[in-house]
Amino acid sequence: EIKYTQLFINNEWHKAAKGKTFPVINPSTGEEICQVEEGTREDVDKAVEAARKAFDIESPWRKLEPAARANLIRKFADLLRRDIDYLSKLETLNNGKPVGDSKGDILGSAACIDYYAGWVDKIAGETLPGAHDQFIYTRHEPIGVCGQIIPWNYPIMMMAWKFGPALACGNVIILKPAEQTPLTALYCAALLKEAGFPPGVVNVIPGDGPECGNAIASHEHIDKVAFTGSVEIGKKIQEAAAKSNLKRVTLELGGKSPLIICEDADIDYAVSVAHRAIFTNAAQNCTAGSRTFVHAKIYDQFIAKSIELAKNRVVGDPFDSNTEQGPQINESQFKKILDYVEAGKKDGAKLECGGERHGNKGYFIKPTIFSGVKDDMRIAREEIFGPIMSVLKFDSYDEVIKRANSTSFGLGAGVITKDLTRGLTFAQRLEAGSVWVNDYDAIINQAPFGGFKQSGHGRELGKYGLESYYEVKTVVVKLI
Amino acid sequence: MASFTSKPPKIEIKYTQIFINNDWHKATNGKTFPVINPSTGEEICQVEEGTKNDIDKAVEAARKAFHINSPWRTLEPSARGKIMRKFADLLRRDIEYLAQLETLNNGKPVTNSKMDIMGAAACIDYYAGWADKFTGETLPTTSDMFLYTRHEPIGICGQIIPWNYPILMLATKLGPALACGNVVILKPSEETPLTALYCAALIKEAGFPPGVVNIVPGDGPNCGNAIVLHEHINKISFTGSVEVGKKVQEGAAKSNLKRVTLELGGKSPLIICEDADVNFAVYVAHEAIFHNAAQNCIAASRTFVHSKIYDEFIAKSVALAKKRIVGDPFDPATQQGPQINKSQFKRILNYIESGKKAGAKLECGGEKANDKGYFIKPTVFSNVKDDMEIAREEIFGPVMSVFKFDSYDEVIERANATNFGLVAGVLTKDLTRALKFVQELQAGSVWVNTYAAMKAQAPFGGFKQSGQGREFGKYGLEPYYEVKTVAIKLLSKM
């Protein structure tokens, strides 16, 4: 049952100002699930008005004792867990990820929200040493109206990552979920109201990028925008922010993250890590381990075992508990990925398995492995966001670090080795916001996450995740 | 009007044994001790009396629970926070019963007991949030080294708490200790063990593994001392008198140099300036001394009033003190219950005599309020001089001592002329004056235009002999972890 398909502003449900709706598709079948109200600039303006009122210095939200704010945030987390069965089904219906993964995402989201609830009464400014007739201190104040634009690959979790720090710091929010996956965000809006957030504190406006997202990025009265998505759009967001009111910008963009498997790695372990590093979430993962560097000494073994694992990966109906991989999100992505398969073949990489559609309905693609990939091939340089493992051979550790770093991305990187010096040296030298040793995608709520270079700027999660959500005010009081 | 019910309500006492390893134990020496209801002076029940052997048992259990592979040590930090939060929820769940038990044993009005429990739960919640957020650092160094710090739990923490806020003191101690991953042996005051033992049952229900929290009721000399001197307890935290606090520090030094934090007494000044709103000042000063029958380490027991408003202040304070309702703490109209026991009761009345003898003017009160129990009338002395006993020594009873002043520079000196330094308050509208007081008052907490502004996130503790170390806030974590510095040399080429 789809309960909520309207815009959520001021704790109320609204029809779109322009009176239009847009279709939401089930990627497992390619069929329409329902229509959702389509937010545009006028609706964003409405939301900004509501948010500004909710942010007024005398408002209930601004006057809340920090511990009380934390209790509200924690209540939302409890409601996510309470409704996990329904929510996970809705997520799977709209996004296509296996139901088990949806549940994992929801628990992780609730834990993230809980984590940030704990920070609320711990965000401290400082008193600073000054002249004896001066009292100097800093205040960490909420920025104000925060626009948040999130992608379709982890709809609920991306929403939680954005809400957590923003609310912990006392801001108000206008969130635009991806036009592919608005349904769970709207359900969560109802939960926020149930949790007791005052009207206008959180507003959810479904809509597209060009009309709705752009309205947020260029709005004169939105104080900050946080965007997770592609590098291409991220750059546009930053431009629009600069052209309008210099709103603060944080970006979490794509990656072409390397996983480096050294000669002393346990091969079975390496194969299993590499497999999940690329194929998790049908590879629709900003940190997907999409360049697998394998030491020459274990290369052949690695390829053989990886092919076997890939062939055994269960692709199918995400509501089936045996399924490990659901469909890609939509037709456009589906086509793009198959184009990359062709590009790989044309460039001379060896197609070891997969490389084609799975089934004849929905957007399923078989887990695909290319071996003999060269650094300059398209499949080695561009973010595919699809289930294609590209394996590159190496024998020099100094060289592989250079090769791993020669990209304008810098989101995640993994290295598998038993050697202490090698592991720590990779950690020092890899140009990535997160480096994982003997693991991959070790995303933990207390550990900051974000990109080097064009994978973005700013950090989410951890204490660092708060930094982009408060404004520092320095106060100097002279004792006259 | 005050009512002094002779019969306390029927409250079932569920737990009277020693809590070790999530089990209930009888005392090894087979003895029990009486717990008294201070409203009546009558015995509530007998409680098992812990002594050295029981502490040894608790240490053994705590050690096992602290083993590096134990369930407690291997818990994910956020899971640790969750169990703590569960305990906070259980405190709130059972607030009705717990508040009555606290009032039965301690004598504070039931509404105050409820406030204390809510505050205790909030404190636990606050520290639950820190479990996955207190961090070490990675430090800059040469390129061939990896340098970082770890903040590790200290180990077995002995915690000795007083009788004036039994539940709140328990939460204040458990919060930071558990957030940092330690294991605890807590000795509640021999006056007020009952709510601590009930909380032990809640701690078990919340899901803390056996041995993580152990609660051993007993006295100071045989039980508390055993904790202080124990060779295998790694840290001790004590809240109580300066006299005993010094003994704790000595004992720690003589035994194994366990880390010590102390929260001791105070003789805290409240300074009321000429521009203060007099009615507001009277109200603040009244609460600041008389709250909890003045059994408060932060009691504002020296009230300095500017000569310009002195007479008005006295008149209005006396009127307010006379209206204060002293009586049966189970009566919702009651504002002030009994003092904790006979010994305190006598001591306070002695101080009153001393004040009279020294020449302070007794404006009201100054005697017991009832024949049964340990009730004392709210008492106001005016014209108190700095060198009087009542001006220098901690009374821990409802005696307001008012001093006159007219020079601000002088009053700061007078306020600071004490070995104590717990808190201070100042009432004024003038910005510079307020901030100067803040700068110059030698106290761990300075409150401007308010008093007793305690918050879970604000560090609290003493300057000088009011103690050392801080509780609450992020600072409250510091005594509960040990810093380990790690340096890893990157030996060779890759």
Side-chain angles (χ1 to χ4, degrees), chain B residues 414-453:
Chain B
R414 290 166 66 187
N416 285 339
T418 165
N419 288 329
F420 289 113
L422 192 53
V423 307
V426 61
L427 305 184
T428 181
K429 296 189 180 96
D430 188 273
L431 181 62
T432 291
R433 188 183 299 147
L435 293 176
K436 280 207 100 203
F437 270 96
V438 162
Q439 268 184 349
E440 298 183 27
L441 283 167
Q442 292 162 3
S445 300
V446 179
W447 296 312
V448 180
N449 291 333
T450 183
Y451 202 83

Side-chain angles (χ1 to χ4, degrees), chain A residues 152-153 254 282-286 328 333 336-337 383-387:
Chain A
W152 44 258
N153 56 347
Q284 300 171 128
N285 207 338
C286 49
Q328 309 311 124
Q333 285 293 114
K336 190 163 156 258
I337 297 160
E383 188 177 34
I384 300 172
F385 236 60

Side-chain angles (χ1 to χ4, degrees), chain A residues 65 74 115 118-119 121-122 132 134-135 397-398 401 420-422 424-426 428 446 477 479-480, chain B residues 76-77 85 125-126 129-130 132-133 143 145-146 431-432 435 439 455 457 488 490-492 494:
Chain A
E65 172 83 55
R74 213 172 284 136
Y115 173 81
W119 267 118
D121 51 11
K122 302 174 180 64
H132 78 279
Q134 278 188 326
F135 172 39
Y397 290 110
D398 287 308
I401 287 182
L420 179 64
T421 291
R422 192 181 296 146
L424 292 176
T425 304
F426 270 92
Q428 264 183 356
Q446 55 266 40
V477 180
L479 307 184
I480 47 173
Chain B
E76 172 82 54
R85 213 172 289 134
D125 269 338
Y126 174 82
W130 269 119
D132 52 10
K133 299 174 181 65
S143 70
M145 281 241 293
F146 173 38
L431 181 62
T432 291
L435 293 176
Q439 268 184 349
K455 295 245 174 272
Q457 59 265 41
I488 300 179
L490 306 183
L491 274 184
S492 56
M494 287 190 294

Side-chain angles (χ1 to χ4, degrees), chain B residues 6-150:
Chain B
S6 52
K7 262 190 124 176
K10 198 80 185 96
I11 294 165
E12 189 202 345
I13 311 300
K14 295 186 182 163
Y15 306 103
T16 57
Q17 297 192 332
I18 300 172
F19 183 77
I20 298 175
N21 229 17
N22 280 10
D23 282 326
W24 298 101
H25 298 252
K26 279 187 168 295
T28 43
N29 69 356
K31 290 205 181 135
T32 62
F33 65 95
V35 179
I36 309 296
N37 173 357
S39 301
T40 61
E42 286 160 7
E43 183 181 303
I44 302 171
C45 64
Q46 293 276 331
V47 164
E48 296 292 319
E49 185 171 45
T51 54
K52 183 172 191 316
N53 284 338
D54 304 289
I55 296 297
D56 286 341
K57 254 205 233 166
V59 168
E60 209 188 302
R63 272 219 138 141
K64 281 212 187 81
F66 192 69
H67 188 272
I68 193 77
N69 290 325
S70 71
W72 182 240
R73 292 304 293 281
T74 49
L75 258 187
E76 172 82 54
S78 57
R80 195 160 76 230
K82 242 183 164 169
I83 300 180
M84 289 174 68
R85 213 172 289 134
K86 180 78 207 245
F87 173 51
D89 286 342
L90 293 176
L91 285 173
R92 284 183 284 251
R93 180 194 72 185
D94 293 354
I95 190 172
E96 293 294 331
Y97 171 77
L98 253 180
Q100 294 200 321
L101 188 60
E102 185 88 319
T103 289
L104 183 70
N105 197 179
N106 167 282
K108 64 175 75 198
V110 174
T111 27
N112 289 8
S113 290
K114 283 190 177 171
M115 254 172 50
D116 285 2
I117 292 164
M118 292 301 287
C123 176
I124 297 285
D125 269 338
Y126 174 82
Y127 277 109
W130 269 119
D132 52 10
K133 299 174 181 65
F134 71 97
T135 52
E137 298 175 315
T138 61
L139 301 159
T141 179
T142 52
S143 70
D144 65 342
M145 281 241 293
F146 173 38
L147 188 61
Y148 65 100
T149 58
R150 290 169 54 88

Side-chain angles (χ1 to χ4, degrees), chain A residues 171-355:
Chain A
N171 295 289
V172 292
I173 294 170
I174 298 171
L175 181 122
K176 186 195 90 60
E179 59 264 41
Q180 291 85 351
T181 52
L183 299 181
T184 45
L186 293 175
Y187 186 86
C188 287
L191 295 184
L192 284 161
K193 179 175 179 175
E194 188 185 340
F197 284 85
V201 172
V202 182
N203 308 278
V204 181
I205 313 280
D208 69 5
E211 265 301 314
C212 191
N214 194 38
I216 292 175
S218 57
H219 206 284
E220 290 292 336
H221 300 299
I222 288 179
D223 307 300
K224 177 212 163 40
V225 65
F227 170 81
T228 297
S230 69
V231 173
E232 182 197 353
I233 305 292
K235 289 180 170 182
K236 293 210 175 98
I237 300 265
Q238 180 133 311
E239 278 178 61
K243 282 195 176 120
S244 53
N245 66 344
L246 271 184
K247 57 176 64 60
R248 289 91 178 85
V249 179
T250 47
L251 303 171
E252 201 267 278
L253 310 175
K256 192 68 184 175
S257 303
L259 170 61
I260 299 159
I261 301 171
C262 305
E263 64 201 271
D264 65 337
D266 175 292
I267 297 197
D268 290 320
Y269 181 67
V271 164
S272 83
V273 172
H275 179 89
R276 72 173 159 85
I278 179 64
F279 294 123
T280 299
N281 212 41
Q284 300 171 128
N285 207 338
C286 49
T287 54
S290 47
R291 287 184 294 153
T292 314
F293 290 92
V294 182
H295 195 280
K297 285 199 178 133
I298 53 169
Y299 184 85
D300 293 329
Q301 261 202 303
F302 177 87
I303 295 286
K305 291 190 173 202
S306 295
I307 292 169
E308 215 189 304
L309 201 53
K311 283 182 168 165
N312 284 331
R313 189 170 177 78
V314 179
V315 180
D317 172 12
F319 284 99
D320 183 335
S321 52
N322 289 322
T323 296
E324 293 171 291
Q325 181 176 314
Q328 309 311 124
I329 190 64
N330 62 14
E331 183 159 25
S332 150
Q333 285 293 114
F334 177 77
K335 282 192 169 151
K336 190 163 156 258
I337 297 160
L338 292 176
D339 282 345
Y340 274 110
V341 173
E342 292 314 304
K345 288 197 245 170
K346 267 205 199 78
D347 286 341
K350 180 174 178 210
L351 179 66
E352 298 277 1
C353 66

